[in-house]
Amino acid sequence: MSAPVRVWLNRTYSENVFFIDQLRAAPRPVEIHATHTDPDSPVLAAADFGSLEPDRLSPEAYVEFALEFCARRQIDVFVPRVGQLAVAVRRRDFEAVGTALVCPSAAAIAVFESKTDGYAAMDTIGLPTPLWRHVRTAEELLAAVEEIEADGGRPCLKPATGAGGEGFRILTREPFGLRRLAGAPDATVQLDQVAAALAASGGSADLLVMPYLDGPEVSVDCLATADGRLLTAVGRAKRGRRRHFTTDPAYLEPTRRLIEAFGVSYLSNVQFRHHRGRPVVLDVNTRPSGGLHQLRLCGLNLPWAAVQLALGEAPAQLPEVEFLGADYTLVSGVQPVLPRQTLLPRQAPAPACERTAAPVPAFEQVAPVLGLV
C-alpha cells in the first residue's frame, strides 16, 4: 500500500467534518490532521490526529507555528483557514519543507480580505455588484442611507471585514418601542443609535452600507487550477428550508470571470443575492465553503480534487454536472468530540492531544424534500 497523503486542516468550521469524510473517500490513503483552539471542535475528533494549537498569536508567529507543524508532521497538503493570507505569503517556505498549500495566491486573497477592496476590484472589471458605500463617520452613514432610500432600497450595515453574516444589521428610522420586544429577535438597529456610535468612535469605524438584497441566496462552489483556470462550478440556491443546485449562466459566468480575472485558485466560493431580480455578487470567500460537501449529491468530490491539484496531479476526471440532484434540506445530527481529560490547556505552545479516530456520525445531514406541484 502506498504511503498516505497527510492533509492538515487548521482551525476550521465544524461543518468541515464532511470535508474530512470526502477526503476519506479518496482512492488513495489519506491521513488527516486537524488543529483548533477549541477542544470541543468536532473536527478534532473526526480527524486521524486532532491537536490543540496556540491561541492569540500574531500572523507572523502563527506562520512559524504552522511551518514547524508541517515539518514535524511531514504534512503533504495544508488547507489553511485561519491565517490564510500570512500563510500564502510564505508559500515558498512551506514548499521548502515539503508542504503544498490549498489556497489562492497572496495577491488573490488580499483583494478580498476587505469587502470594500473586493467590491471596488469587481466594479473595475464590470462584475455585477450591488450599490455599496464605505462609511467611517456619521456624516458618511447618513449620506449613504439617504442615497439608498432615494433609490427605493432598505439600507443595511455590515463590517467591511469578517465572515458570514457577522455584524449584519438592517437600519431603521423607526424609534425603539415595545413592539420590538415582541416575537423573535431580529437584526434591525436604529439609525440614530448607529450614527451616535460612529460620532463617538472618532472615525475608527470600517463599515459598508448597502440595500437589503432579495433571495434566493446562491452560493457557487468553485474548483480552479493553480493559475486560476476554473475547472468546475456549481451553485447551491436556498430559500427558506429548500435548497437546490444550479448551473445557470447568470451565476456561473460572472463567477468564471471573477475566478480567472483575479486568479482565485483551488477551492473558493462566490455568493450571490438579487437586486430587483438581477443577480449581484454579495461576497467572495477564498476558502472552501462549509456547504461544499453538499456537492456530493452531484457526484463531485472537490476536496480530493483540490488535494490532487496541490500535489501537481491531474484530478480524476471531473464529471460533467448534468445531474444536479433532487431538492433537499438540512437536518441536524450528532458528532463526537474528544474527551476533555485528554486535552492540555488551550495556551499549549504545540499540539497537545492526538488520537486515531474511526469514521463518525454526521453533524449535519442532507435530506430530500417533496417536489411541489
Side-chain angles (χ1 to χ4, degrees):
M1 178 180 288
S2 61
V5 178
R6 294 186 176 91
V7 180
W8 175 28
L9 282 71
N10 76 333
R11 211 181 309 182
T12 191
Y13 301 118
S14 296
E15 291 86 352
N16 275 336
V17 296
F18 303 112
F19 194 103
I20 291 173
D21 286 344
Q22 290 194 279
L23 291 178
R24 286 206 171 100
R28 291 168 56 187
V30 178
E31 180 181 284
I32 299 157
H33 298 247
T35 59
H36 211 289
T37 56
D38 179 2
D40 292 333
S41 168
V43 175
L44 297 182
D48 298 302
F49 296 92
S51 310
L52 290 177
E53 64 177 46
D55 202 357
R56 294 188 290 274
L57 295 179
S58 69
E60 295 76 15
Y62 189 87
V63 172
E64 294 303 325
F65 155 75
L67 282 165
E68 189 276 335
F69 185 96
C70 288
R72 178 162 43 86
R73 299 290 187 90
Q74 297 181 298
I75 299 297
D76 298 303
V77 177
F78 178 21
V79 186
R81 189 190 73 82
V82 165
Q84 191 190 60
L85 178 57
V87 166
V89 167
R90 302 279 297 277
R91 186 181 297 269
R92 289 188 178 178
D93 292 335
F94 283 92
E95 291 172 349
V97 300
T99 301
L101 301 181
V102 170
C103 71
S105 68
I109 296 169
V111 171
F112 299 104
E113 277 279 288
S114 163
K115 291 180 173 62
T116 56
D117 293 343
Y119 282 135
M122 289 187 287
D123 286 346
T124 307
I125 64 171
L127 289 171
T129 60
L131 172 65
W132 61 277
R133 293 292 179 261
H134 187 203
V135 305
R136 286 192 169 91
T137 66
E139 292 76 17
E140 291 173 346
L141 170 71
L142 294 173
V145 167
E146 289 172 0
E147 181 180 3
I148 289 168
E149 288 177 336
D151 192 49
R154 188 180 183 190
C156 301
L157 185 75
K158 63 181 179 180
T161 58
E166 293 176 351
F168 171 80
R169 298 291 187 272
I170 300 172
L171 296 167
T172 180
R173 295 181 184 270
E174 179 183 336
F176 184 85
L178 289 177
R179 187 182 64 81
R180 290 285 309 282
L181 300 179
D186 61 30
T188 304
V189 65
Q190 277 62 40
L191 175 62
D192 57 352
Q193 292 180 334
V194 178
L198 279 172
S201 74
S204 60
D206 189 16
L207 301 169
L208 280 173
V209 177
M210 303 166 60
Y212 184 83
L213 300 174
D214 299 323
E217 180 178 320
V218 178
S219 186
V220 181
D221 291 311
C222 308
L223 174 71
T225 60
D227 58 357
R229 179 173 56 86
L230 188 65
L231 295 177
T232 296
V234 180
R236 294 179 284 110
K238 64 179 180 180
R239 190 192 292 273
R241 290 182 182 272
R242 182 173 290 266
R243 286 157 166 78
H244 69 271
F245 299 106
T246 179
T247 54
D248 189 330
Y251 309 109
L252 266 57
E253 180 56 24
T255 296
R256 183 194 61 77
R257 290 174 55 204
L258 186 154
I259 295 297
E260 297 185 354
F262 299 108
V264 185
S265 55
Y266 299 108
L267 296 172
S268 61
N269 176 262
V270 182
Q271 297 175 10
F272 292 83
R273 285 184 77 91
H274 295 77
H275 185 236
R276 296 173 180 163
R278 182 178 72 105
V280 291
V281 179
L282 177 64
D283 208 355
V284 179
N285 297 307
T286 57
R287 53 166 177 76
S289 69
L292 179 65
H293 64 97
Q294 295 165 32
L295 266 61
R296 71 180 189 268
L297 298 178
C298 301
L300 294 173
N301 186 341
L302 297 192
W304 174 242
V307 167
Q308 288 185 287
L309 285 171
L311 294 173
E313 303 171 3
Q317 185 65 37
L318 293 170
E320 292 293 328
V321 185
E322 297 175 351
F323 174 70
L324 292 178
D327 286 10
Y328 63 101
T329 190
L330 303 179
V331 295
S332 297
V334 297
Q335 180 73 28
V337 295
L338 293 179
R340 275 193 177 272
Q341 59 267 30
T342 68
L343 298 169
L344 295 182
R346 293 180 63 175
Q347 294 301 316
C353 73
E354 297 183 354
R355 72 184 285 264
T356 300
V360 290
F363 175 79
E364 176 190 70
Q365 301 279 3
V366 297
V369 294
L370 293 176
L372 299 179
V373 294

